[in-house]
Amino acid sequence: MDTAGERSADRVTAVAAAVGAAFFELGVDTAFGVLGSGNFVATEAFVAAGGTFHAARHEGGAASMADGFGRVTGRPALVSVHQGPGLTNAITAIGEAAKARVPMVVFAGDTAPGALRSNFRIDQHALVESVGARAERLHGPRSALADATRALARARDERRPVVLMAPVDLQEEAVDEAAPATPPPAPLPAGAAPGAIATLADLLLAARRPLVIAGRGAVVADAGEALAELGERAGAMLATTAMAKGLFAGHPHLLGISGGFSSPPTAELIASADLVLAVGASLTPWTTREGSLFAAAEKLVRIDVEADAAVGEGADLVVLGDAAEVTAALCAELAERGHDCRRYPEIEAAARRCAWRLQRFEEASGPGQIDPRSFSIALEAALPTERTVVVDSGHFVGWPAMYLEPPDARSWVFVNAFQAVGLGLGAAIGAAVARPDRVTVLAIGDGGLLMSLPELETAARLGLRLLIVAYDDAAYGAEVHPFGAAGHDVSLVRFPDTDLAAIGRAAGLGAVTVREYADLEPVATWAAAPDGPLLVDAKVDPAVCAEWLTLTFEQGHP
Ligand SMILES: Cc1ncc(C[n+]2csc(CCOP(=O)(O)OP(=O)(O)O)c2C)c(N)n1
Ligand SMILES: [Mg+2]
């Protein structure tokens, strides 16, 4: 029988080491995490096998990094966390990734089944399932590699985080198999039945003003090109949800984002549609303005791969299938019926009026403060077009959604599926790790940044080409505006001015404070040759309230 000493000397055969190495052999090349006794050996083996591990400073940061990495690349990263509090620290970010359908594998230490009095003991399975992630487990030394393989395949196929529980006693046992199991082939995406395609084509051809709204499901399915072709063939207006911005970047039929971030002409055109085709979009109240945007539409059709996601919202027809496959079949059907691709000048002319930068507003820069809208427009001009844009949550969220343009949907990381403040910095670090060739821009509030400060050190240590833009109103603006308007005591959600630039410098970043346009010059200089992260503390006028927020509290949804 092995002694503990012999087992640790022979690391390659320990379950922990074999599983860590297996993830790399199965194609996962990047990991983020915080190491402790329950995940050290597995992570060490992942690195020894050839993987790259980035140490985060908080597990919430680590899981958000995997989220950003997963959205930009479409590939799962490994998250490595300690049992108990290591996993609870990561859970909000895991919930975000579950809701946004981002694949990732979380290797989580777990207490030994018999360790009933361990301080670390919680019901990890129930915890992760409660936020929509999947719980998997290393069951024994004989199945460990198959267990790891299955966890990864599920993350890929179910497009969500899978948390692999790794009991610490089992991790030390000798593994029976030397090589990971071969993962099953990814299931081929299914299109809709021919009858459903014919019905969809009938509806499209009968419509006078059809509109396609594409959501994150369309991004995940890489359906952008097929949907753009559909727009051209059917003469449909194109819009995206906030999550899918960038999917139709530069397309002449693009109206913009559907919902609170619609410009007035965009909203008007969306409301004029008689047929709405929602593709991979869950149609939240944010996208539909509480249903009001589609009130006049005669038909609402939904295409989704998940029956759950497509149920409700009064759809007239739900077609189950992969967004790209269904759309391609629909294009083929229209072509077969002789409905040829042609230009639709009236849609193009209408779409040209939609961009937010063309809408007028009254400049509101007080002394020492900058208008967040004109600041965003100036920022857009200072940045190279090749960029990844990452957005945290809060009142400020509309400004980047309205004024910053990603070149495509994989370059837009809108970390708002769980609507949690403070996940953006981690996601931006993961996105920047995934695309070291280009600039990553994070838009975040002062509240969100102060919630995620530990990862400033990570950003500096990794020397990323990351621009952190804090819309700093010294407040939880998302609470100040609605509660202030209703007569509440907003001193509870206002704070003294914080010198975020000084905090950035202390963590090892370059930093500038922006109070007027001239202060943006160092940003343009940095963008021309970025050499490590730069933090911009933009002191924005706290009195400017976005129309989308006013609309939201008038309509009564959080
Ligand atoms: C984790 C979490 N805590 C609290 C909230 C409630 N909340 C929504 S927005 C917000 C304020 C965020 O402040 P900041 O990042 O400065 O952005 P601002 O609204 O000021 O633009 C808060 C506290 C939340 N959504 N998520
Ligand atoms: Mg704020």
Side-chain angles (χ1 to χ4, degrees), residues 393-396 419-421 445-448 451 473 475-479:
S393 200
H395 164 236
F396 77 89
Q419 240 175 278
V421 172
D446 50 311
M451 216 182 256
D473 61 353
Y476 293 156
E479 316 304 340

Side-chain angles (χ1 to χ4, degrees), residues 212-232:
V212 171
I213 293 186
R216 176 131 169 95
V219 177
V220 169
D222 280 325
E225 260 179 49
L227 284 167
E229 189 192 330
L230 182 68
E232 288 151 25

